[in-house]
Amino acid sequence: MTPIEPPKNMPLSEILPATPTLLMGAGPVPIPYQVAQANGLVISHLGETMNRVIARVKEMSKYVFQTTSDHILGLAGPGSAAMEMAITNLLGPGKKVLILNLGTFSARFGELAKRVGAEVIFLKGEDFKPFTVEQVEAELEKNHYDALTLVQGETSCGVKNIHLGPIAAAAKKRNVLVIVDAVCTLSTMPFKMDEWNIDVVMTCGQKGLSSIPGVSLIAFSEDAWKIIEQRNPPHWCLDAKLANRFWSKHEYHYTAPVSGILAIHEALRLICLETLEKRFERHLLSSHALQTGLERMGLQLFIPKEDRLNSVVAIQMPRDLKASDVLKHMLQTFNVEISGAFGLPIVRIGQMGEQCRFQNLSKVLYATGMSFKKFGTPIDMNQGMAQIDSLQNRLDP
Ligand SMILES: Cc1ncc(COP(=O)(O)O)c(C=O)c1O
């Protein structure tokens, strides 16, 4: 046999753009310098240094999740792995789950639950409207469920589940576990795990936290943990009891993603330093300026203001215009990337973490307006850009 030769040497610099693309889509998002620095380190995953890092990550996560629960775990994996960890540890054959389905990510909970053999019932949202308590209560009265899942911010279409707290209360009243995906919303808008009686909440690095992809966080309530202690899930890596060995007892489970954990440490530290209150204010200010700017330019937003998610804003595509043409032009001309969608006639702009800084906001607003204009949409750039003039000091203190 002919030996397999090494391929031609090609440094990353020949693949990457000369200046980094500005990531203004639905994630990953730009990361702060301190997070990037931390991500460049490798330390031992066991031992005193790592123990101290883990203790701090848990302590800071409690603040960000707004919980006193000690059942906080990190995992090597994307947001979907954290969703799978919730499902595989709490559901299985003989368990029934209600999936509040507003789109791609809400529905993913259902796919995961089917795979572990749970009985899955989808409650479909109407016309991209957030679920109401009445809708959910009507279903909970009809059937007994072991758990209910929902997404705080459905990024696939840009809707916010504005009645999350009351829905969770209605479920808990009936002994139904509440599992929430706060992947894009945590640290960008209020989320109160304990006050709202949430049993499981997960997030991942590359969205609201402004860290790197590949490391996620999950928190369980006491009620959820009692169930977990009785179960042996089919997934070994995602077994919460095994993961807890590392996250609470400093014992080996698998080799932890140390660089990503150091990065998330820094991301959490910066959030604590900024405080949630100020961070929510910054996100709101930036996202509202973006939304007003887009509308004043002449673009139409996909979701009405009252139900609109601020962390990922969906723009309705004008008829006869292809999203891929606009996105390609934006990337090639302005080196700014925003997201397409999962079959819907929209494009999406992220407003998470470092995306809500003055320069990033200005660049994405300008690039979006100019790119739609290029393809014939009537756009008033002056009106659109006038929105953001006064924001510099408030977004980059
Ligand atoms: C709301 C929401 N949940 C879950 C996910 C899945 O995250 P990941 O792609 O890291 O698996 C995403 C990703 O975009 C998301 O937006």
Side-chain angles (χ1 to χ4, degrees):
M1 266 173 46
T2 345
I4 298 171
E5 298 296 334
K8 168 173 127 6
N9 176 40
M10 192 192 287
L12 264 183
S13 55
E14 285 180 30
I15 302 174
L16 298 175
T19 24
T21 299
L22 178 59
L23 300 174
M24 293 301 286
V29 307
I31 56 174
Y33 174 74
Q34 296 90 329
V35 172
Q37 289 283 97
N39 188 48
L41 303 173
V42 176
I43 63 169
S44 168
H45 66 120
L46 296 170
E48 204 35 50
T49 307
M50 196 60 190
N51 297 350
R52 290 181 62 197
V53 172
I54 293 296
R56 288 286 298 161
V57 167
K58 285 181 72 169
E59 194 184 339
M60 294 187 288
S61 298
K62 285 183 185 180
Y63 171 65
V64 177
F65 284 119
Q66 288 289 290
T67 185
T68 55
S69 172
D70 204 38
H71 306 300
I72 295 178
L73 309 173
L75 59 144
S80 306
M83 293 167 79
E84 194 151 37
M85 188 181 228
I87 297 294
T88 194
N89 282 280
L90 291 164
L91 296 171
K95 301 272 187 184
K96 188 163 171 169
V97 59
L98 180 63
I99 310 287
L100 303 191
N101 181 11
L102 278 176
T104 307
F105 297 105
S106 328
R108 186 165 294 175
F109 272 127
E111 291 169 39
L112 300 171
K114 277 187 195 161
R115 286 181 183 225
V116 296
E119 188 183 345
V120 176
I121 308 290
F122 288 95
L123 189 61
K124 185 93 183 77
E126 282 161 27
D127 294 335
F128 308 105
K129 297 291 293 171
F131 283 95
T132 63
V133 188
E134 293 72 27
Q135 260 176 310
V136 177
E137 279 192 316
E139 183 55 38
L140 293 177
E141 284 300 310
K142 271 197 256 163
N143 289 297
H144 171 71
Y145 289 96
D146 296 288
L148 167 152
T149 67
L150 78 166
V151 175
Q152 187 180 24
E154 178 51 74
T155 44
S156 61
C157 57
V159 174
K160 167 171 70 176
N161 259 316
I162 48 180
H163 306 296
L164 171 55
I167 288 174
K172 281 301 275 184
K173 208 165 79 186
R174 293 167 175 84
N175 273 332
V176 179
L177 286 174
V178 180
I179 303 173
V180 180
D181 166 335
V183 157
C184 79
T185 47
L186 198 79
S187 90
T188 73
M189 58 187 268
F191 181 88
K192 299 176 178 176
M193 179 174 176
D194 287 2
E195 193 178 314
W196 295 344
N197 277 303
I198 308 290
D199 289 296
V200 192
V201 54
M202 71 283 304
T203 192
C204 54
Q206 78 272 16
K207 307 243 187 198
L209 300 185
S210 245
S211 185
I212 60 149
V215 176
S216 299
L217 292 171
I218 186 164
F220 297 95
S221 68
E222 278 306 327
D223 285 352
W225 198 256
K226 275 188 206 133
I227 297 173
I228 286 171
E229 281 180 332
Q230 309 302 319
R231 295 177 55 80
N232 287 313
H235 295 82
W236 187 88
C237 281
L238 297 177
D239 183 328
K241 286 200 301 288
L242 293 182
N244 193 45
R245 282 191 191 165
F246 178 74
W247 283 82
S248 291
K249 301 176 187 155
H250 310 307
E251 291 169 14
Y252 174 70
H253 172 205
Y254 54 74
T255 305
V258 284
S259 313
I261 293 175
L262 293 173
I264 232 167
H265 177 287
E266 285 303 274
L268 291 168
R269 186 178 66 77
L270 293 173
I271 294 170
C272 294
L273 200 62
E274 184 174 11
T275 74
L276 285 176
E277 202 183 15
K278 292 220 175 79
R279 196 172 169 92
F280 297 153
E281 204 178 285
R282 172 163 66 83
H283 278 79
L284 210 56
L285 195 65
S286 178
S287 187
H288 281 174
L290 174 76
Q291 293 167 36
T292 314
L294 292 168
E295 286 184 320
R296 296 217 175 145
M297 275 178 184
L299 292 167
Q300 203 187 329
L301 301 184
F302 188 58
I303 300 294
K305 194 170 176 33
E306 62 278 13
D307 304 333
R308 192 180 300 150
L309 178 63
N310 289 319
S311 341
V312 175
V313 178
I315 305 169
Q316 171 85 50
M317 285 307 293
R319 239 183 243 219
D320 304 329
L321 188 52
K322 264 173 57 191
S324 54
D325 290 340
V326 176
L327 300 184
K328 192 168 161 199
H329 179 77
M330 254 175 105
L331 191 58
Q332 283 178 349
T333 313
F334 301 102
N335 202 14
V336 174
E337 185 182 277
I338 66 169
S339 300
F342 304 89
L344 293 172
I346 56 176
V347 290
R348 299 170 302 145
I349 299 182
Q351 284 288 274
M352 296 175 280
E354 293 306 292
Q355 291 177 323
C356 297
R357 298 291 183 194
F358 180 72
Q359 283 200 4
N360 297 343
L361 174 66
S362 330
K363 282 184 192 159
V364 76
L365 195 54
Y366 183 77
T368 306
M370 292 300 282
S371 301
F372 274 97
K373 195 170 175 181
K374 155 94 184 158
F375 292 98
T377 309
I379 292 286
D380 186 335
M381 286 304 290
N382 288 341
Q383 275 292 323
M385 296 306 291
Q387 288 315 301
I388 56 167
D389 275 357
S390 60
L391 291 186
Q392 180 158 21
N393 292 338
R394 298 174 70 192
L395 292 177
D396 304 336

